Amino acid sequence: MPKRRYAVRDYDLLGRRRIYTNEKEITRDNILDVLSHARAIHDFNVKEMQFLIEYERGKQDLQRTKTIRPEIDIRVHSNIANDIKEFKVGYNWSNPIMLIQRGDNEIHETDPEKDDKGIAALNEALKNGSNIGYEDQCLAESIEVCGIGHRMIDVKTSEWEDGALFELYTLDSQYAFCVYRNAPGRKKVLGVTFSENGDQTEYTCFTPKLRFEVVGDKVTVSKNPLGRIPIVEYERSFDRTGCFERQISRMDALNILISDFTNDVAQRTQEIWWGDNVDFQRDEKTGEIKHPRSGQWILTYSDDGKVAKIQPLSSTFDGSSTLNAIQSTRSEIFQDCKVPIQYDSAGGGSTGVATDMSSGWSAAELDALKEQQMTERGKREELMLILAAVDKVPENILPMDSPVRQLHSTDIDFHFTRRRNYDLVNKANFVSQMLAKGLNGRHVLKEAEIFPDAEQVWLDSKEMIEAIQKSALPSEPAEEPADTRISADNSDQTENSPILDGMNTEQNKVQT
């Protein structure tokens, strides 16, 4: 598709606008009017999205004009926007978002073993059939940079050998949008994806009941087989901004700082010379001054009794203060975007808990949890579409008694895995103690965040875990040992942390 390009930012970035309509229902009679109004708002969003995409890729025009010595105008782009985006995509989306059973006792009273098998099969279709890891990365690029992302689920009709039970597409948000009713509940009434071929635009629009194909003034209507709008609109936050969008003005200022510092170094290498009581030789024929060239001696003439001076014309420049300003501005941008210090090797006696908090990882995790709640809303809608598409799979491909067909969307939770290999000793202790206390192994594995597909691990390990738990049941109540940890961890280091309770603990000791 041809890409629109916008070179100048002449607007304020306040997040992508939601598109609303006053129509209660979209029909053949009003589809063109709704599309016309929605497209105008969408085009404004596209203008902002295109700017953000190009800004993250490095197209960052320096927000100043160099009027002094314009021949030396080095422009440096730190491009922290790319660093922030790469961290968010890597930390929040590095592992595919998998499915796991919510619990054994549910409102539908279905067999939990069948649910486990159905969810495992659905995870297999997502990961190996639909390549959900790659698709989530594509979706994450749009969500983190532009603030919104779009995905479409459709009924699969052929090529079953790839293992997929449905069609899953991650759409370009520049060519997709949703329309919501301007009423309490903000119900979605229309999902749109379109393509542009020259001057002609072809729209494919969905309502829960109908599918519209719109080319110019021609509208073709057919039935929507899923019975739901198959386009899901994801939001990164309530204001629908990108992960670095709020810091763009400071990023521009940082680019100016770095560029001006680099220019100062170049200008000191190519300094302007100042002469006092000096005159250069002149050409005998033309009378023009013979300016000295690089590597030549400078011959000067002065009036009798006056001292001739030649020296560089320089200004005092505090390089260390400028470098400190560059470093502090950079750190503040990362801090406000909830990106931790990843390469700081500063030593000290802090505990693991204190180091984790001081370097920003705890703030990054809290921010990821907040974004996770926004992502789950879209994933829940996507899951309902997937189950509706699975219901349309032919019986010769998926038998009617397959556990996948018996699943309900409310039986399923989403499993987000971040920092999977971080602090494995603590996580192993947690799993061991919780299983020893008799907790359900599925919930323990889900909370520990060790395995990306916790549902499959539980399904493969369930028999052994339950057998070990039953064998550990005592015939008589026994006294609990003082310490049941299988190895050392950080659980007893809280009192040593100056950020947590360490200071209070020391003060209490003094008072007593």
Side-chain angles (χ1 to χ4, degrees):
M1 297 179 183
K3 296 289 186 182
R4 309 175 189 83
R5 303 187 66 84
Y6 302 93
V8 180
R9 174 162 58 100
D10 55 355
Y11 46 85
D12 294 325
L13 295 168
L14 300 174
R16 315 296 78 75
R17 291 152 180 76
R18 261 196 171 206
I19 304 175
Y20 293 101
T21 180
N22 293 325
E23 300 290 345
K24 295 181 179 179
E25 184 179 4
I26 308 301
T27 65
R28 179 194 287 268
D29 296 331
N30 61 19
I31 180 67
L32 293 178
D33 290 337
V34 172
L35 267 183
S36 177
H37 171 74
R39 181 63 191 272
I41 300 174
H42 174 71
D43 282 347
F44 192 88
N45 285 341
V46 168
K47 185 177 181 181
E48 295 184 336
M49 285 190 281
Q50 188 62 46
F51 171 81
L52 291 169
I53 291 170
E54 293 184 349
Y55 192 93
E56 185 272 328
R57 290 177 180 175
K59 189 177 182 296
Q60 302 171 12
D61 297 330
L62 211 61
Q63 303 298 308
R64 67 108 170 91
T65 302
K66 195 167 187 297
T67 57
I68 307 300
R69 299 200 68 182
E71 74 278 5
I72 301 178
D73 190 7
I74 302 171
R75 296 171 178 262
V76 181
H77 301 138
S78 179
N79 203 3
I80 294 184
N82 175 261
D83 296 335
I84 296 170
K85 186 268 294 184
E86 289 295 329
F87 173 79
K88 295 294 184 180
V89 172
Y91 187 68
N92 295 6
W93 302 80
S94 57
N95 289 300
I97 302 169
M98 306 304 293
L99 310 177
I100 191 169
Q101 187 175 175
R102 183 178 178 276
D104 292 345
N105 299 314
E106 298 164 339
I107 191 173
H108 299 106
E109 298 183 352
T110 54
D111 186 347
E113 292 189 3
K114 288 186 177 180
D115 282 348
D116 279 332
K117 293 179 179 179
I119 293 172
L122 195 55
N123 276 333
E124 180 181 350
L126 281 167
K127 192 168 184 180
N128 299 332
S130 299
N131 200 0
I132 192 63
Y134 171 80
E135 295 294 339
D136 277 352
Q137 285 287 298
C138 295
L139 183 65
E141 284 280 330
S142 178
I143 292 176
E144 298 298 342
V145 174
C146 301
I148 57 175
H150 293 82
R151 179 165 285 172
M152 178 176 173
I153 305 297
D154 202 0
V155 177
K156 191 175 179 66
T157 57
S158 61
E159 300 180 1
W160 300 101
E161 63 275 4
D162 61 2
L165 299 176
F166 44 84
E167 299 287 3
L168 186 149
Y169 308 104
T170 301
L171 304 176
D172 186 342
S173 292
Q174 298 176 80
Y175 296 91
F177 58 88
C178 293
V179 181
Y180 303 84
R181 188 187 171 196
N182 191 15
R186 300 294 194 264
K187 182 180 179 181
K188 181 164 58 176
V189 295
L190 188 68
V192 180
T193 178
F194 64 93
S195 62
E196 293 179 337
N197 300 313
D199 296 333
Q200 181 172 280
T201 303
E202 300 179 4
Y203 295 92
T204 301
C205 312
F206 297 91
T207 69
K209 298 179 181 179
L210 302 175
R211 170 175 177 155
F212 300 90
E213 299 288 345
V214 181
V215 180
D217 294 335
K218 183 180 179 181
V219 180
T220 304
V221 184
S222 59
K223 184 180 178 181
N224 181 0
L226 282 179
R228 295 176 176 272
I229 297 175
I231 297 177
V232 181
E233 187 169 69
Y234 284 82
E235 300 172 333
R236 193 192 71 86
S237 59
F238 286 109
D239 60 4
R240 295 156 67 99
T241 56
C243 61
F244 59 84
E245 186 173 335
R246 296 179 180 178
Q247 300 299 318
I248 285 180
S249 61
R250 291 167 72 180
M251 293 179 191
D252 290 340
L254 179 63
N255 287 340
I256 293 174
L257 271 174
I258 299 175
S259 298
D260 287 350
F261 180 82
T262 308
N263 281 320
D264 181 75
V265 174
Q267 288 170 183
R268 288 174 178 273
T269 305
Q270 308 175 51
E271 293 201 90
I272 296 175
W273 288 82
W274 167 67
D276 184 26
N277 295 324
V278 171
D279 191 13
F280 291 101
Q281 287 182 318
R282 294 180 179 271
D283 188 276
E284 295 178 355
K285 295 181 180 180
T286 63
E288 294 181 355
I289 296 176
K290 292 182 178 181
H291 294 285
R293 298 180 182 178
S294 177
Q296 290 182 336
W297 285 89
I298 301 176
L299 302 178
T300 64
Y301 300 88
S302 61
D303 296 334
D304 294 338
K306 294 183 179 180
V307 179
K309 296 180 181 179
I310 297 179
Q311 65 186 47
L313 185 63
S314 301
S315 61
T316 303
F317 183 81
D318 190 350
S320 61
S321 297
T322 304
L323 289 174
N324 288 336
I326 290 173
Q327 183 59 42
S328 62
T329 302
R330 183 183 178 88
S331 298
E332 288 170 2
I333 292 173
F334 280 137
Q335 179 179 331
D336 290 346
C337 290
K338 306 300 185 291
V339 175
I341 301 172
Q342 302 174 66
Y343 307 108
D344 187 2
S345 58
S350 295
T351 65
V353 176
T355 301
D356 187 72
M357 293 189 66
S358 63
S359 60
W361 283 103
S362 295
E365 178 64 18
L366 289 174
D367 186 67
L369 286 171
K370 183 179 67 174
E371 185 175 331
Q372 175 180 321
Q373 307 307 310
M374 303 295 293
T375 305
E376 280 191 1
R377 183 200 64 83
K379 278 289 181 180
R380 181 67 59 186
E381 184 180 351
E382 183 181 317
L383 175 61
M384 296 171 69
L385 289 168
I386 288 173
L387 294 178
V390 167
D391 192 52
K392 304 294 182 181
V393 176
E395 186 176 359
N396 63 320
I397 302 298
L398 186 69
M400 296 303 294
D401 60 350
S402 171
V404 181
R405 293 187 185 271
Q406 314 306 318
L407 292 174
H408 300 84
S409 63
T410 54
D411 298 340
I412 302 173
D413 271 345
F414 300 100
H415 187 223
F416 293 75
T417 308
R418 291 183 291 273
R419 304 175 76 187
R420 182 160 56 94
N421 294 324
Y422 172 75
D423 207 2
L424 286 179
V425 172
N426 282 357
K427 291 183 177 183
N429 283 326
F430 167 78
V431 172
S432 177
Q433 292 189 57
M434 293 300 102
L435 292 180
K437 298 297 183 183
L439 270 71
N440 181 279
R442 184 197 299 111
H443 296 299
V444 174
L445 292 173
K446 179 167 59 175
E447 184 64 25
E449 290 190 354
I450 301 177
F451 306 102
D453 192 350
E455 179 66 35
Q456 188 64 51
V457 175
W458 166 243
L459 193 61
D460 294 341
S461 310
K462 177 181 178 181
E463 184 177 348
M464 178 63 71
I465 290 175
E466 291 182 342
I468 293 174
Q469 288 179 323
K470 289 179 181 178
S471 66
L473 290 174
S475 55
E476 296 182 0
E479 184 178 350
E480 185 176 338
D483 192 348
T484 59
R485 293 181 296 173
I486 62 176
S487 63
D489 60 24
N490 293 329
S491 61
D492 56 356
Q493 291 191 2
T494 301
E495 64 182 12
N496 298 324
S497 172
I499 294 181
L500 299 178
D501 296 332
M503 297 302 294
N504 293 333
T505 303
E506 294 299 325
Q507 291 175 3
N508 292 336
K509 289 180 180 179
V510 172
Q511 293 175 358
T512 57

